């Protein structure tokens, strides 16, 4: 029995959560997967109720679960996910960008994954004022963090059915010590994974090449801030933020969430694209499959992919993809595919 902690989130969160739960139920019923979904209070409503966006009892529930699915959170997003990444040591932020039928992306063949180091870099919170007219931020880079993220990226490139390549993205020509250490670690790990083609790219060149030739990429491994920026770019290049899933993965825990925010501009209208959260759930099944050597979960993750492709091919899509279907209609269509599966 898998225990899955589920954060409904704010804005469009509850709508896309409902859609995702219907799909989870259909998958579990079809494949005989035993799963208990446990609601976890977190985000703006928890902040209003308990004075904390992530109350202690919610953290305990997440710690006691096998995995967590998290819908987007509003104003208090950073207090939840940034904190969880740190306390659970979720060092790999994995963000696929992929073209699906009917998506209005730049190219049809896009299928890349950005592996972003999630724990240090300029986001370590070490910012200081120097007097009243100057401020500094410290960019933290450790060999341990660089080695483990590089190792994660190479193993991913070996496991997936892609172009078997890893590009390390940095700016070591200017940041010789911090980015230089990252680059050296990637080279060292590359030498142990000879079946994977390895190359390096400066972050400005990568930003350009993601637009010029996005289908050439397979796995990109990069530092925290570069990954933050490049993954939003890649999601848009592939088509829509509403289709962008992500995973925060550590050695013990993992949290799966859309790459986008709570989209308050469309909340409550029933038109939010639920596929980002459903695809995140697909990533969760894949992770459970490899962690527990569970063939049913592997099957579930494939079925998510196949069903979404089939539904989109029939033109069933929310307005962000140019369609006219509601959040609920898209979820119901996926459930029908799963049942037929
Ligand atoms: P944040 O600062 O939390 O990232 P934001 O408003 O800047 O919030 P998003 O919430 O990610 O960014 O939304 C950016 C745009 O993408 C909005 O116009 C939003 O409506 C749209 N969008 C985001 N997610 C979806 C979705 N699942 N379906 C449809 N449109 C979406």
């Amino acid at each position: 029995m898998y225990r899955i902690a589920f954060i409904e989130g704010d804005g469009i969160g509850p709508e896309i959560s409902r859609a995702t739960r219907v799909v989870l139920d259909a998958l579990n019923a079809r494949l005989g997967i035993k799963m208990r979904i446990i609601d976890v209070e977190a985000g703006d409503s928890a902040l209003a109720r308990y004075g904390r966006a992530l109350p202690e009892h919610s953290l305990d529930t997440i710690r006691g679960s096998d995995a967590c699915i998290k819908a987007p959170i509003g104003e208090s997003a950073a207090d939840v996910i940034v904190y969880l990444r740190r306390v659970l040591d979720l060092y790999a932020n994995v963000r696929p960008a992929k073209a699906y039928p009917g998506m209005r992306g730049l190219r049809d063949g896009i299928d890349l994954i950005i592996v972003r180091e999630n724990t240090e870099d300029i986001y370590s919170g070490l910012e200081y004022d120097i007097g009243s007219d100057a401020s500094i931020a410290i960019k933290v880079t450790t060999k341990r963090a660089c080695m483990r993220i590089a190792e994660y990226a190479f193993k991913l490139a070996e496991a997936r059915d892609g172009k078997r390549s890893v590009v390390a993205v940095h700016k070591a020509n200017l940041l010789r010590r911090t980015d230089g250490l990252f680059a050296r670690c990637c080279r060292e790990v590359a030498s142990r994974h000879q079946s994977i083609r390895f190359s390096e790219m400066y972050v400005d060149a990568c930003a350009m090449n993601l637009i010029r030739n996005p289908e050439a990429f397979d796995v990109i491994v990069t530092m925290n801030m570069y990954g933050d920026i490049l993954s939003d770019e890649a999601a848009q290049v592939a088509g829509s933020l509403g289709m962008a899933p992500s995973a925060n993965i550590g050695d013990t825990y993992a949290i799966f969430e859309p790459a986008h925010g709570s989209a308050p501009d469309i909340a409550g209208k029933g038109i939010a694209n639920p596929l980002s959260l459903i695809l995140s759930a697909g990533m969760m099944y894949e992770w459970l499959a490899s962690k527990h050597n569970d063939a049913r979960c592997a099957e579930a993750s494939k079925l998510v992919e196949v069903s979404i492709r089939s539904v989109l091919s029939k033109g069933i899509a929310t307005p962000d993809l140019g369609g006219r279907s509601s959040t609920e209609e898209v979820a119901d269509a996926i459930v029908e595919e799963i049942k037929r599966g």
Side-chain angles (χ1 to χ4, degrees):
M1 168 78 82
Y2 293 113
R3 289 164 55 89
I4 305 302
F6 203 114
I7 299 174
E8 267 207 348
D10 306 303
I12 60 168
E15 300 161 54
I16 62 173
S17 292
R18 273 194 298 280
T20 301
R21 288 173 80 140
V22 170
V23 171
L24 287 173
D25 288 346
L27 283 165
N28 295 337
R30 169 103 174 82
L31 297 165
I33 297 169
K34 292 199 168 44
M35 185 176 283
R36 190 170 148 224
I37 309 276
I38 305 154
D39 286 302
V40 174
E41 293 180 291
D44 294 354
S45 50
L47 182 64
R49 191 157 171 204
Y50 303 101
R52 286 182 63 182
L54 188 70
E56 204 58 40
H57 64 270
S58 297
L59 181 58
D60 289 344
T61 307
I62 295 169
R63 276 193 204 277
S65 66
D66 292 289
C68 174
I69 297 179
K70 181 193 146 293
I73 284 172
E75 292 298 313
S76 56
D79 295 334
V80 177
I81 192 62
V82 176
Y83 181 72
L84 282 171
R85 282 173 184 159
R86 191 159 50 78
V87 294
L88 302 177
D89 198 21
L90 307 176
Y91 60 86
N93 187 206
V94 182
R95 292 192 177 195
K98 198 168 179 178
Y100 284 88
M103 268 171 83
R104 292 174 293 191
L106 281 188
R107 300 271 203 293
D108 288 340
I110 301 169
D111 184 5
L112 63 91
I113 298 196
I114 296 183
V115 176
R116 161 188 170 196
E117 202 290 319
N118 223 3
T119 63
E120 46 187 38
D121 194 1
I122 202 87
Y123 292 167
S124 298
L126 301 172
E127 263 198 307
Y128 307 96
D129 290 329
I130 305 174
S132 55
D133 295 331
S135 305
I136 57 166
I138 295 176
K139 176 163 176 144
V140 178
T141 311
T142 64
K143 183 167 185 188
R144 174 174 177 262
C146 294
M147 292 298 281
R148 69 180 179 177
I149 199 69
E151 196 62 56
Y152 185 93
F154 276 89
K155 285 196 177 131
L156 180 66
E158 282 168 348
R160 86 191 214 105
D161 198 14
K163 299 180 186 73
R164 303 187 67 76
S165 83
V166 170
V167 181
V169 173
H170 53 71
K171 192 74 182 168
N173 51 338
L174 288 179
L175 296 164
R176 296 206 177 103
R177 290 175 187 276
T178 48
D179 290 30
L181 174 59
F182 174 79
R184 283 199 304 282
C185 290
C186 290
R187 284 172 213 144
E188 187 181 328
V189 173
S191 69
R192 297 202 290 262
H193 296 268
Q194 297 283 341
S195 70
I196 300 298
R197 219 163 3 97
F198 174 65
S199 58
E200 294 173 49
M201 204 176 275
Y202 294 134
V203 61
D204 41 349
C206 183
M208 183 181 71
N209 285 325
L210 273 175
I211 291 179
R212 193 158 69 179
N213 199 12
E215 65 273 49
F217 289 99
D218 180 16
V219 174
I220 293 173
V221 62
T222 190
M223 304 173 86
N224 203 343
M225 187 171 76
Y226 306 144
D228 188 10
I229 298 166
L230 293 175
S231 54
D232 269 25
E233 182 191 350
Q236 204 51 55
V237 163
S240 168
L241 214 44
M243 293 284 294
S246 83
N248 299 277
I249 293 181
D251 289 332
T252 320
Y253 296 100
I255 298 182
F256 300 85
E257 58 171 350
H260 58 73
S262 62
D265 53 332
I266 56 164
K269 295 187 179 159
I271 55 165
N273 191 340
L275 297 180
S276 55
L277 192 59
I278 294 170
L279 285 165
S280 302
M283 291 178 83
M284 177 193 74
Y285 279 113
E286 198 181 338
W287 183 77
L288 289 171
S290 89
K291 188 162 188 237
H292 300 280
N293 200 13
D294 184 336
R296 290 182 208 198
C297 284
E299 189 56 35
S301 110
K302 284 196 197 114
L303 203 45
V304 168
E305 182 75 19
V306 170
S307 307
I308 287 178
R309 283 193 176 276
S310 172
V311 164
L312 290 174
S313 307
K314 291 176 186 158
I316 302 168
T318 43
D320 58 303
L321 299 178
R324 301 164 72 136
S325 307
S326 68
T327 309
E328 204 179 327
E329 283 163 353
V330 170
D332 289 346
I334 293 172
V335 166
E336 284 311 309
E337 292 294 331
I338 290 167
K339 284 185 181 157
R340 263 200 295 274

